[in-house]
Amino acid sequence: MPNNPFIISGYVSPEYFCDRKKESEILINNILNGRNTALISTRRMGKTGLIRHCFENPQITKDFNTFFIDIYAVKSLKEFTVLLSKAIVKNLIPSGLKAVEKFWNHVKSLQAGISFDPYGNPAFNLQLGDIRHTDKTLDEIFGYMESSGKPNVVAIDEFQQITTFNEKNTEAVLRTYIQQCSNAQFIFAGSQRHVMSNIFMSASRPFYQSVSMLQLDSIPVNTYIEFASDLFRRNGKSIDDEAISAIYRMFDGITWYMQKMLNELFAMTPQGGTCHTEMTDTALGSILDTFKYAYSESMFRLSEKQKEMLIAIAKEKCARNITSEQFIGKYHLGSASSVQSATRGLLKKDFITEYMGEYSVYDRFFGIWLRENY
């Protein structure tokens, strides 16, 4: 049992996982019925937690091999192949030498990356340079999955990154492999909603209509109140409903920010004590204080125009019509062309997000810090 029941990294158990019953049922049902899934939401809404939660479902654990990779920082199909290989071997090592040997025998191009200690225990030390021909290695990996005893589930987080890979035909290549592999289901999780929609809903793209779509929205506030209150109570503390509601409003119910604030509030509340609403400001200040040097450094590295644009978006919270005379005049941003240029730079660096013409600061804590300091 963790000292603090509000988990902010990884997955522990269903006891510390809030709701998502409907979404879990849909995702598990898709897996059991051979459907690939596109899981879409804003960042930090809990996509990874939901996937991990479903992977821990007894029926999935019993009947499937499960693999998870995060390709947020990946720049090429070769890097993707390295991550996928490592995820498979990491999953197989607990099953023993025979399981690893089966993978080794199928994926011969990666044998240089596998070694054994004096006791015969396998280790996988694959480096990017060990892959000479990406297409051959992918052939072997998908061949292994096709021939493995159990069916496989492969979850790929931040899937929209494939559109930025060095190779121009990544979508077509992956679609071909996935389509030909009948022994695996795929979960494509992504946070750039317009990019994910284009990948799966545009008739000119290889992945067109190849998935069941699943949108992840905020957990209802009453559900979060019940969840948080119960965890406080079971650990000998209590919390006002209004304190939870205040956090919910502050962060639009986005899961990670809720968990981060509740984690801080739980730590602040003495055993046998009650967390009151006024404590939320203290908790927020404490969290922002831990980030202030990183935020200051980020601002230092931005150009003047990007800095001005980021502050303007932060002050609006949700900025619309950013090239209008009204918006430009309100924040003294110069010309529409300079606004567009600064916005492109901020989007590329992931300082802001855009959805249906609305712009907001990606990191909600950063947005609050900007409003308090500029």
Side-chain angles (χ1 to χ4, degrees), residues 7 15 33 58 62 101 140 185 190 218 244 261 263 273 277 281 301 342 351 353:
I7 309 303
E15 181 182 0
N33 288 282
K62 175 177 175 290
E101 284 182 336
E140 293 172 342
Q185 276 78 59
S218 299
I244 305 168
M261 285 288 290
N263 181 285
T277 306
D281 287 339
R301 294 184 179 278
F351 280 96
T353 62

Side-chain angles (χ1 to χ4, degrees), residues 64 85 126 207 223 253-254 275 288 317 352:
F64 293 84
S85 303
L126 182 68
F207 280 96
T223 302
I254 298 176
C275 174
L288 293 181
K317 295 186 181 179
I352 61 173

Side-chain angles (χ1 to χ4, degrees), residues 61 217 240 334:
T61 302
D217 297 315
D240 291 342

